[in-house]
Amino acid sequence: MTSLSTAQTKPSTSAKTSPAGQNRQAALTVNDAKINALIKKMTLEEKVAMLHANSAFAAGGIKRLGIPEIMTSDGPHGVRPEQGRDWKGVKGANDAGSYMPTNNTLASTWNPTLGYAYGTVLGSEARFRGKDIILGPGINIVRAPLNGRNFEYMSEDPYLISKMVVGYIRGVQDQGVSASVKHYAANNQEEHRNDIDVEMSERALREIYLPGFKAAVQQGGAHTLMGSYNKFRGQYATENAYLMNTILKGEWGFQGLVISDWGSVHNTQDALRNGTDLEMGTDLALMYKSVDQSAATGGPSASRTIYDQFYLADAALEAIKKDKTLEPLLDDKVRRILRVMYATNMMDGAKRQPGAYNTKEHQATALKVAEEGIVLLKNEGNMLPLKKTVKSIAVIGHNATRENSLGGGSAQVKAKYEITPLQGLKNELGDKVNITYAQGYKIARDQKADPQMIAEAVAAAKAADVVVYVGGSTHGYDYTKWSDNAYDAEGFDKPDMKMPFGQDELIQAVLKANPNTVVVLMGGGPIDVSAWAGQTKGIVEAWYPGMEGGNAIAHVLFGDVNPSGKLPFTFPVKLEDSPAHKLGEYPSTPGNPLKQTYKDDIFVGYRYYDTYNVAPQFAFGHGLSYTTFKYSGLSVTPGSKSATVKLTVTNDGKTAGAEVVQVYVKDEKASVKRPEKELKGFEKVFLKPGESKVVTLTLDQNAFQYYDEGKKQWVLEPGKFDVLVGSSSRDIRLTGNVTL
Ligand code: GLC
């Protein structure tokens, strides 16, 4: 196992860390004097030219003043294949890069240090490919199990997101590339993503949907945020006065730039006044036509292109000429763009980091994140780890040979290589073990199980000592066609939470043929496993584990690696149990597809299941290990508005392993309805057999406060708080309390 270099495992607090709690945005303003002098030299036309794309993924640039274009690229788990200047792939480009595990795999590691290592890879490869902004991470709350883009996001819990996103951003930005945290805000589904109008309480906004973005801005020092497609309280999010001016740039002190999603700007005045700084993309229909739209339609002059028809292009120029009071707003946008360019070493001939591509180090990080992100969901009778002395293994399921990197939509990566689960098992076992393979099901539009394929799978299962079933979800049928994305993909929500392609029937037949079957699930969100989970001894969740995924799966199944992943979101028993469906209005207000009120409010994920006593299939924070951990000696010491939690964790098993110690807080009595428990601290500890470690966590006032809608501020209501410490949200080992 290649170990990570120190450079890659530098703790998430990089050298330039500001004292805890201070806002890292200040760093972006250090060049303001130079920037203001530059703005003074610019004509109105030049300033406006900075505010919008000049091709599919590039923007701005003023040659006369030595201001380069900004090059952007997707995506959250790897640098996308070259999209050329008019949204078409570039033949022969050297653009096959590292395909990292998806963001929810990273979240499942609950290891902020790995977040930094992950961001380092992404930033380094983006630099190498000549990109200035990488369009990731994706941190929207996993609220709805069917959301097509859950695979690109991290968690149902804002605290876990806050801890994982900071390292990622610092890792990217320490490589001289800007991160773009998306999609701000409340873009929690793909159904009607372009025009649904989301309503929610101020508490839900502040306590659930914003904290990840706030941490990304203030602790991560994110240089850019991407405005989302949907509306929020009646106004498009990307040009939304409350989200962009009041909260992001006002309260949070964001000094960087707001980039639109591609085509998420809808109104020149709103965009000028409400904080949109850089407009990308436009009406996709236009974009797919020839670039020089106006020339084709005999527009003002042949040199005008579709990019001059953007809301923040000619129309903005006209608006500013008519209303001079808008010019300071224009200057602010240009200032923010230039701040990001300076911070990304794009100006004054600053030396840029070269970046690196497909290096052994990057591959090692991809492997490590996958190994620590895989979640052991069930291990009855210690069926796992499998013995390497096994004589024969039947590998069953199309996901065992499926390559996923090009799927999912804009997050696609052309992987330099992608180790499939079957390949990983072959790498692990060599020719010592007889490995057979049966595809079992087809990834195709017709959902029916294929009796012939089931028969083959059953025969293979019968003939083998052990069965490794690899199934679950997929991005879609044929990724070369956008429209063929259909499951874990942008632009589409999933049809349901069931295992697609008749897998339930197949798995049950395989289990009957050979109970010595371990089921490996792949996919980007919760899956309904109720049809067969009870009869299965071993279940592993592997998400989309990236280019080294097959090796990581094999290392976990055969015990080279002791799994330490924990679920970043709940697996409900059935879809109807989900709060977005039960209390919320997913996918929209009945009778009005363009509106949705998040009536589930703050009760998202385990906050709902634990408060409303609905048993989940697998709980938030759940993940087993090949060893066991003992929790002892809890003490909770009150501060003035804080508490110090101390306990000892011991590995009382026979195998080295890692445990994520989770700390939840419960407000015993409050003047508002609060969740049964809320995650307010965690620490991942690596312990040898017999080794103990004292874990000390400080719960600051944020751990106890709720957002008071009347007072429009966070309040700490005095009283008694329970402190619940455990191995998952539903496996609480020790409890204490503190009165504040
Ligand atoms: C897409 C996505 C966004 C992506 C952008 C550029 O529509 O919503 O995440 O970064 O457009 O591809």
Side-chain angles (χ1 to χ4, degrees):
M1 182 90 57
T2 334
S3 62
L4 295 181
S5 70
T6 39
Q8 283 189 294
T9 53
K10 190 163 53 171
S12 61
T13 52
S14 71
K16 294 197 295 287
T17 307
S18 58
Q22 199 192 351
N23 190 333
R24 277 173 63 97
Q25 285 295 318
L28 273 165
T29 61
V30 295
N31 298 297
D32 275 10
K34 274 193 271 187
I35 287 170
N36 292 334
L38 192 50
I39 290 174
K40 282 202 177 58
K41 293 181 193 156
M42 296 169 89
T43 66
L44 203 52
E45 287 71 13
E46 287 172 333
K47 291 178 188 177
V48 171
M50 294 283 289
L51 306 189
H52 61 84
N54 59 15
S55 81
F57 282 85
I62 309 289
K63 267 202 185 57
R64 178 178 77 85
L65 297 169
I67 302 173
E69 282 181 344
I70 292 181
M71 293 307 297
T72 72
S73 168
D74 291 308
H77 51 261
V79 186
R80 188 175 186 181
E82 280 308 314
Q83 292 301 310
R85 294 191 71 82
D86 62 352
W87 200 270
K88 287 195 190 65
V90 176
K91 290 257 172 300
N94 168 24
D95 56 4
S98 291
Y99 166 46
M100 299 299 283
T102 49
N103 283 201
N104 60 21
T105 317
L106 174 63
S108 303
T109 69
W110 292 55
N111 184 343
T113 306
L114 275 188
Y116 185 83
Y118 186 106
T120 301
V121 172
L122 203 56
S124 172
E125 300 219 350
R127 200 64 298 283
F128 183 90
R129 285 270 302 279
K131 311 303 177 186
D132 307 306
I133 300 179
I134 186 84
L135 302 169
I139 63 165
N140 290 98
I141 291 285
V142 176
R143 164 184 183 257
L146 302 185
N147 173 33
R149 295 184 87 171
N150 282 335
F151 74 99
E152 282 185 78
Y153 303 152
M154 290 190 173
S155 174
E156 70 190 26
D157 180 83
Y159 183 83
L160 176 59
I161 295 170
S162 307
K163 291 295 166 195
M164 293 311 293
V165 75
V166 168
Y168 178 121
I169 291 167
R170 290 185 190 175
V172 166
Q173 297 187 164
D174 282 356
Q175 295 299 314
V177 168
S178 292
S180 188
V181 193
K182 66 190 188 182
H183 305 88
Y184 182 71
N187 176 192
N188 302 100
Q189 65 191 52
E190 290 303 287
E191 181 85 13
H192 274 289
R193 70 170 182 170
N194 288 304
D195 48 15
I196 194 156
D197 182 7
V198 174
E199 285 290 343
M200 67 171 80
S201 74
E202 193 64 14
R203 263 191 86 197
L205 180 68
R206 299 288 183 159
E207 294 191 14
I208 305 295
Y209 294 93
L210 289 188
F213 287 103
K214 183 176 182 185
V217 164
Q218 296 190 330
Q219 297 156 47
H223 291 166
T224 93
L225 244 72
M226 184 186 290
S228 61
Y229 282 121
N230 56 287
K231 285 181 181 174
F232 178 74
R233 294 181 182 163
Q235 198 171 47
Y236 280 107
T238 302
E239 50 202 38
N240 187 293
Y242 188 57
L243 290 176
M244 297 304 179
N245 291 342
T246 308
I247 297 177
L248 177 64
K249 296 179 177 179
E251 290 176 33
W252 297 353
F254 179 61
Q255 300 298 326
L257 75 89
V258 170
I259 188 171
S260 79
D261 201 335
W262 268 237
S264 70
V265 173
H266 295 267
N267 178 294
T268 294
Q269 287 293 333
D270 286 353
L272 281 171
R273 297 170 188 280
N274 300 338
T276 312
D277 299 307
L278 179 54
E279 179 186 2
M280 300 302 285
T282 181
D283 171 344
L284 289 181
L286 268 183
M287 196 179 298
Y288 286 106
K289 290 198 183 114
S290 77
V291 168
D292 199 343
Q293 177 70 11
S294 56
T297 55
S301 78
S303 68
R304 311 304 295 161
T305 74
I306 78 170
Y307 298 101
D308 298 306
Q309 297 173 45
F310 277 30
Y311 295 97
L312 287 183
D314 291 354
L317 184 59
E318 290 317 306
I320 295 160
K321 281 178 181 166
K322 277 201 198 94
D323 176 356
K324 282 285 172 218
T325 67
L326 291 170
E327 188 149 3
L329 295 178
L330 170 65
D331 290 350
D332 179 62
K333 297 174 195 297
V334 174
R335 182 173 307 110
R336 289 171 178 275
I337 293 168
L338 289 171
R339 279 177 183 156
V340 171
M341 296 177 88
Y342 269 96
T344 321
N345 306 323
M346 293 173 68
M347 299 297 289
D348 301 349
K351 191 175 161 334
R352 305 204 69 175
Q353 285 144 288
Y357 209 42
N358 298 305
T359 64
K360 285 266 165 276
E361 273 199 331
H362 294 177
Q363 295 161 13
T365 300
L367 177 60
K368 191 114 187 80
V369 172
E371 287 174 340
E372 286 201 30
I374 289 172
V375 184
L376 178 55
L377 294 174
K378 186 176 180 185
N379 189 16
E380 198 176 288
N382 290 327
M383 170 202 184
L384 294 169
L386 301 174
K387 312 267 177 295
K388 290 185 185 173
T389 50
V390 69
K391 291 278 170 293
S392 59
I393 295 182
V395 179
I396 295 172
H398 193 164
N399 271 355
T401 56
R402 181 83 168 173
E403 294 186 354
N404 300 298
S405 70
L406 273 176
S410 64
Q412 64 181 180
V413 177
K414 193 191 289 176
K416 185 77 180 171
Y417 65 87
E418 181 175 350
I419 306 284
T420 62
L422 179 60
Q423 189 54 53
L425 288 165
K426 287 180 176 172
N427 295 347
E428 175 77 8
L429 300 168
D431 49 11
K432 290 196 294 293
V433 177
N434 171 27
I435 299 177
T436 56
Y437 173 64
Q439 188 173 310
Y441 65 89
K442 280 193 313 294
I443 292 179
R445 287 190 183 289
D446 62 303
Q447 291 286 327
K448 291 183 302 307
D450 177 327
Q452 176 56 33
M453 295 181 85
I454 291 184
E456 283 162 16
V458 165
K462 278 204 172 86
D465 294 342
V466 165
V467 177
V468 175
Y469 180 89
V470 188
S473 185
T474 181
H475 286 309
Y477 312 111
D478 165 2
Y479 314 138
T480 53
K481 292 194 285 298
W482 182 277
S483 59
D484 261 355
N485 278 314
Y487 290 88
D488 292 318
E490 177 177 347
F492 305 84
D493 282 352
K494 296 165 213 173
D496 54 47
M497 207 172 74
K498 305 291 285 171
M499 296 268 278
F501 318 123
Q503 288 181 75
D504 282 347
E505 186 182 336
L506 169 62
I507 289 184
Q508 291 176 49
V510 167
L511 285 167
K512 212 155 120 251
N514 188 336
N516 237 357
T517 294
V518 55
V519 173
V520 178
L521 294 174
M522 295 178 75
I527 286 182
D528 177 345
V529 299
S530 55
W532 45 267
Q535 299 107 353
T536 312
K537 291 193 283 190
I539 306 175
V540 170
E541 174 63 62
W543 312 117
Y544 291 109
M547 62 187 172
E548 286 285 340
N551 289 331
I553 291 169
H555 295 165
V556 166
L557 292 183
F558 282 89
D560 304 323
V561 165
N562 186 353
S564 60
K566 297 283 185 180
L567 290 180
F569 41 72
T570 309
F571 276 46
V573 170
K574 55 188 186 307
L575 183 61
E576 303 71 59
D577 290 352
S578 154
H581 293 250
K582 195 92 179 179
L583 299 181
E585 296 186 334
Y586 176 88
S588 69
T589 305
N592 180 353
L594 300 187
K595 184 110 176 114
Q596 184 174 177
T597 301
Y598 285 5
K599 289 183 176 165
D600 36 329
D601 202 73
I602 59 172
F603 300 100
V604 173
Y606 70 93
R607 285 176 167 80
Y608 167 75
Y609 296 104
D610 295 357
T611 307
Y612 288 77
N613 295 315
V614 176
Q617 183 76 46
F618 298 113
F620 172 79
H622 169 73
L624 302 174
S625 170
Y626 294 147
T627 186
T628 50
F629 298 97
K630 189 173 69 163
Y631 288 56
S632 60
L634 174 66
S635 70
V636 182
T637 316
S640 64
K641 290 185 173 178
S642 64
T644 302
V645 177
K646 213 170 180 170
L647 70 139
T648 300
V649 183
T650 304
N651 176 344
D652 58 357
K654 299 189 186 57
T655 315
E659 169 71 324
V660 178
V661 178
Q662 299 158 44
V663 178
Y664 296 86
V665 171
K666 172 184 179 173
D667 188 347
E668 285 218 350
K669 197 172 68 57
S671 48
V672 292
K673 185 172 166 60
R674 298 194 71 180
E676 168 62 22
K677 62 170 78 79
E678 298 186 278
L679 180 72
K680 295 295 180 183
F682 67 86
E683 183 168 322
K684 188 164 197 173
V685 290
F686 294 78
L687 296 168
K688 295 187 186 57
E691 187 182 2
S692 293
K693 184 165 185 219
V694 173
V695 173
T696 306
L697 287 161
T698 302
L699 300 177
D700 64 18
Q701 61 186 33
N702 296 320
F704 304 98
Q705 296 179 145
Y706 68 83
Y707 189 81
D708 183 313
E709 293 182 343
K711 293 179 184 149
K712 291 189 186 315
Q713 61 183 18
W714 291 86
V715 297
L716 200 173
E717 213 166 57
K720 193 173 172 198
F721 295 86
D722 296 333
V723 175
L724 317 169
V725 182
S727 186
S728 93
S729 60
R730 287 204 169 216
D731 179 4
I732 299 301
R733 304 289 182 83
L734 302 170
T735 55
N737 60 63
V738 65
T739 301
L740 298 177

Coordinates of all heavy atoms in Angstrom, one line a residue, residues 56-57 72-76 80 83 87 134-136 138 149 152-153 180 182-183 187 190 193-194 226-229 260-263 280 284 409-411 482 490-491, ligand 1:
A56 N -17.6 28.4 -23.9 CA -18.3 27.5 -23.0 C -17.8 27.5 -21.6 O -18.5 27.5 -20.6 CB -18.3 26.1 -23.5
F57 N -16.4 27.6 -21.4 CA -15.9 27.5 -20.1 C -14.8 28.5 -19.8 O -14.0 28.4 -18.9 CB -15.3 26.1 -19.8 CG -16.3 25.0 -19.6 CD1 -17.0 24.4 -20.6 CD2 -16.7 24.7 -18.3 CE1 -18.0 23.5 -20.4 CE2 -17.7 23.8 -18.0 CZ -18.3 23.2 -19.1
T72 N -12.3 27.9 -16.7 CA -13.0 27.0 -15.7 C -13.1 25.6 -16.2 O -13.0 25.4 -17.4 CB -14.4 27.6 -15.4 OG1 -15.2 27.2 -16.5 CG2 -14.4 29.1 -15.1
S73 N -13.3 24.7 -15.3 CA -13.6 23.3 -15.7 C -14.4 22.6 -14.6 O -14.1 22.8 -13.4 CB -12.3 22.5 -16.0 OG -12.7 21.1 -16.1
D74 N -15.3 21.7 -15.0 CA -15.8 20.8 -14.0 C -14.7 19.9 -13.6 O -13.7 19.8 -14.3 CB -17.0 20.0 -14.6 CG -18.2 21.0 -14.8 OD1 -18.6 21.6 -13.9 OD2 -18.7 21.0 -16.0
G75 N -14.8 19.0 -12.5 CA -16.0 18.9 -11.7 C -15.5 18.5 -10.3 O -14.3 18.5 -10.0
P76 N -16.4 18.2 -9.5 CA -16.2 17.9 -8.1 C -15.2 16.7 -7.8 O -14.6 16.7 -6.7 CB -17.5 17.6 -7.5 CG -18.5 18.1 -8.5 CD -17.8 18.0 -9.8
R80 N -12.7 17.6 -15.9 CA -13.6 17.1 -17.0 C -12.8 17.0 -18.3 O -11.9 17.8 -18.5 CB -14.8 18.0 -17.1 CG -15.9 17.5 -18.0 CD -17.0 18.5 -18.0 NE -18.1 18.0 -18.8 CZ -19.3 18.6 -18.9 NH1 -19.5 19.8 -18.4 NH2 -20.3 18.1 -19.7
Q83 N -13.8 20.7 -23.0 CA -15.0 21.0 -23.7 C -14.9 22.0 -24.8 O -15.8 22.5 -25.4 CB -16.0 21.6 -22.7 CG -16.4 20.6 -21.6 CD -17.1 19.4 -22.2 OE1 -18.0 19.5 -23.0 NE2 -16.6 18.2 -21.9
W87 N -18.3 24.2 -26.3 CA -19.1 23.2 -25.7 C -19.0 21.9 -26.4 O -19.9 21.1 -26.4 CB -20.6 23.6 -25.6 CG -21.4 22.9 -24.5 CD1 -22.1 21.8 -24.7 CD2 -21.5 23.3 -23.2 NE1 -22.7 21.4 -23.5 CE2 -22.3 22.3 -22.6 CE3 -21.1 24.3 -22.4 CZ2 -22.7 22.3 -21.2 CZ3 -21.4 24.3 -21.0 CH2 -22.2 23.3 -20.5
I134 N -11.9 25.3 -10.6 CA -12.5 24.0 -10.7 C -13.8 24.1 -10.1 O -14.0 24.6 -9.0 CB -11.6 22.9 -10.0 CG1 -12.1 21.5 -10.3 CG2 -11.4 23.1 -8.5 CD1 -11.6 20.9 -11.6
L135 N -14.8 23.5 -10.8 CA -16.2 23.7 -10.4 C -16.7 22.6 -9.4 O -17.4 21.7 -9.8 CB -17.1 23.8 -11.7 CG -16.7 24.9 -12.6 CD1 -17.4 24.8 -14.0 CD2 -16.9 26.3 -12.0
G136 N -16.1 22.7 -8.3 CA -16.5 21.8 -7.2 C -15.9 22.4 -5.9 O -15.1 23.4 -6.0
G138 N -19.3 19.9 -4.6 CA -20.8 20.0 -4.5 C -21.2 19.7 -3.1 O -20.9 18.6 -2.5
R149 N -28.3 14.0 -8.3 CA -26.9 14.4 -8.1 C -26.4 14.2 -6.6 O -25.4 14.7 -6.2 CB -26.8 15.9 -8.4 CG -27.0 16.2 -9.9 CD -26.7 17.6 -10.2 NE -25.3 17.9 -10.5 CZ -24.8 19.0 -11.0 NH1 -25.7 20.0 -11.2 NH2 -23.6 19.2 -11.3
E152 N -22.8 13.6 -6.2 CA -21.9 14.7 -6.2 C -21.8 15.5 -4.9 O -21.0 16.4 -4.8 CB -22.3 15.7 -7.3 CG -22.0 15.3 -8.7 CD -22.3 16.4 -9.7 OE1 -21.6 17.3 -9.9 OE2 -23.4 16.3 -10.4
Y153 N -22.7 15.1 -4.0 CA -22.8 15.9 -2.8 C -22.3 15.1 -1.6 O -21.8 13.9 -1.8 CB -24.2 16.4 -2.6 CG -24.8 17.2 -3.7 CD1 -26.2 17.2 -4.0 CD2 -24.0 17.9 -4.5 CE1 -26.7 17.9 -5.0 CE2 -24.5 18.7 -5.6 CZ -25.8 18.7 -5.8 OH -26.3 19.4 -6.9
S180 N -14.9 26.3 -6.5 CA -16.2 26.9 -6.7 C -17.3 26.1 -6.0 O -17.7 25.0 -6.5 CB -16.5 27.0 -8.2 OG -17.6 27.8 -8.4
K182 N -20.6 24.6 -4.8 CA -21.9 24.7 -5.4 C -22.9 23.7 -4.8 O -22.4 22.8 -4.1 CB -21.7 24.4 -6.9 CG -21.2 22.9 -7.2 CD -20.8 22.8 -8.7 CE -20.5 21.4 -9.1 NZ -20.1 21.3 -10.5
H183 N -24.2 23.9 -5.0 CA -24.8 25.1 -5.8 C -25.6 25.9 -4.8 O -26.5 25.4 -4.2 CB -25.7 24.5 -6.8 CG -25.1 23.5 -7.8 ND1 -25.1 22.1 -7.5 CD2 -24.5 23.6 -8.9 CE1 -24.5 21.5 -8.5 NE2 -24.1 22.4 -9.4
N187 N -30.5 23.8 -4.0 CA -30.6 23.0 -5.2 C -30.5 21.5 -4.8 O -29.5 20.9 -5.0 CB -29.5 23.4 -6.1 CG -29.5 22.6 -7.4 OD1 -28.5 22.7 -8.2 ND2 -30.5 21.9 -7.7
E190 N -33.1 17.4 -9.0 CA -32.9 17.8 -10.4 C -34.2 18.0 -11.1 O -34.3 18.7 -12.1 CB -32.1 16.6 -11.1 CG -30.7 16.6 -10.7 CD -29.9 17.9 -10.9 OE1 -29.6 18.2 -12.1 OE2 -29.7 18.6 -9.9
R193 N -35.1 21.6 -11.9 CA -34.0 22.3 -11.2 C -33.9 23.7 -11.8 O -33.5 24.6 -11.1 CB -32.7 21.6 -11.4 CG -32.2 21.6 -12.8 CD -30.7 21.1 -12.9 NE -30.2 21.2 -14.2 CZ -28.9 21.0 -14.4 NH1 -28.1 20.7 -13.4 NH2 -28.4 21.0 -15.6
N194 N -34.3 23.9 -13.0 CA -34.2 25.3 -13.6 C -35.2 26.3 -13.2 O -35.0 27.5 -13.4 CB -34.2 25.1 -15.2 CG -33.0 24.5 -15.7 OD1 -31.9 24.9 -15.5 ND2 -33.2 23.4 -16.4
M226 N -20.8 29.0 -6.6 CA -21.7 29.0 -7.8 C -23.1 29.1 -7.4 O -23.7 28.4 -6.6 CB -21.5 27.6 -8.5 CG -22.3 27.6 -9.9 SD -22.2 26.0 -10.7 CE -20.5 25.9 -11.2
G227 N -23.8 30.1 -8.1 CA -25.2 30.3 -7.8 C -26.0 29.2 -8.5 O -25.6 28.7 -9.5
S228 N -27.1 28.8 -7.9 CA -27.8 27.6 -8.4 C -29.0 28.0 -9.3 O -29.3 29.2 -9.4 CB -28.4 26.8 -7.3 OG -29.3 27.5 -6.5
Y229 N -29.5 27.0 -10.0 CA -30.5 27.2 -11.0 C -31.9 27.6 -10.4 O -32.6 28.5 -11.0 CB -30.8 25.9 -11.8 CG -29.7 25.7 -12.8 CD1 -29.0 24.5 -12.8 CD2 -29.5 26.5 -13.9 CE1 -28.0 24.2 -13.8 CE2 -28.6 26.2 -14.9 CZ -27.8 25.1 -14.8 OH -26.9 24.8 -15.8
S260 N -22.2 32.2 -12.0 CA -23.5 31.6 -12.2 C -23.4 30.1 -12.5 O -22.3 29.7 -13.0 CB -24.3 32.3 -13.3 OG -23.8 31.8 -14.6
D261 N -24.4 29.4 -12.4 CA -24.5 28.1 -13.0 C -24.7 28.4 -14.5 O -25.0 29.5 -14.9 CB -25.5 27.2 -12.4 CG -25.3 25.7 -12.7 OD1 -24.5 25.4 -13.7 OD2 -25.7 24.8 -11.9
W262 N -24.5 27.4 -15.3 CA -24.6 27.6 -16.8 C -26.0 27.9 -17.2 O -26.8 27.0 -17.4 CB -23.9 26.4 -17.5 CG -22.4 26.6 -17.7 CD1 -21.8 26.6 -19.0 CD2 -21.4 26.9 -16.8 NE1 -20.4 26.8 -18.8 CE2 -20.2 27.0 -17.5 CE3 -21.4 27.1 -15.4 CZ2 -19.0 27.3 -16.9 CZ3 -20.2 27.4 -14.8 CH2 -19.0 27.4 -15.5
G263 N -26.3 29.1 -17.4 CA -27.6 29.5 -17.8 C -28.5 29.8 -16.6 O -29.7 29.8 -16.7
M280 N -22.0 32.6 -16.6 CA -21.5 31.6 -17.5 C -22.7 30.9 -18.2 O -23.8 30.9 -17.7 CB -20.7 30.5 -16.7 CG -19.5 31.1 -16.0 SD -18.3 31.8 -17.1 CE -17.6 30.4 -17.9
L284 N -29.2 26.9 -23.2 CA -28.5 25.8 -23.7 C -28.8 25.6 -25.2 O -28.0 25.2 -26.0 CB -28.8 24.5 -22.9 CG -28.2 24.5 -21.5 CD1 -28.6 23.2 -20.8 CD2 -26.7 24.6 -21.6
G409 N -23.1 13.2 -15.9 CA -23.4 14.6 -16.4 C -22.1 15.4 -16.3 O -21.0 14.9 -16.6
S410 N -22.2 16.7 -15.8 CA -21.1 17.6 -15.9 C -19.9 17.1 -15.0 O -18.8 17.5 -15.2 CB -21.5 19.0 -15.5 OG -21.9 19.0 -14.1
A411 N -20.2 16.3 -14.1 CA -19.1 15.8 -13.2 C -18.3 14.7 -13.8 O -17.4 14.2 -13.2 CB -19.7 15.2 -11.9
W482 N -26.1 12.5 -23.4 CA -26.6 13.1 -22.1 C -28.0 12.5 -21.7 O -28.2 12.2 -20.6 CB -26.7 14.6 -22.3 CG -27.1 15.4 -21.1 CD1 -28.4 15.6 -20.7 CD2 -26.2 16.0 -20.2 NE1 -28.4 16.3 -19.5 CE2 -27.1 16.6 -19.2 CE3 -24.9 16.2 -20.1 CZ2 -26.6 17.3 -18.1 CZ3 -24.4 16.9 -19.0 CH2 -25.2 17.5 -18.1
E490 N -27.0 14.1 -13.3 CA -27.4 15.5 -13.4 C -28.6 15.6 -14.4 O -28.6 14.9 -15.4 CB -26.3 16.4 -13.9 CG -26.6 17.8 -14.1 CD -25.5 18.6 -14.5 OE1 -24.3 18.1 -14.4 OE2 -25.7 19.8 -15.0
G491 N -29.6 16.4 -14.0 CA -30.7 16.6 -14.9 C -31.9 15.7 -14.7 O -32.9 15.9 -15.2
Ligands
GLC1 C1 -24.1 22.3 -15.0 C2 -24.1 22.1 -13.5 C3 -22.9 22.7 -12.8 C4 -21.7 22.6 -13.7 C5 -22.0 23.6 -14.9 C6 -20.9 23.5 -15.9 O1 -25.4 22.6 -15.4 O2 -25.3 22.3 -12.8 O3 -22.7 21.9 -11.6 O4 -20.5 23.0 -13.1 O5 -23.2 23.3 -15.5 O6 -20.9 22.3 -16.6

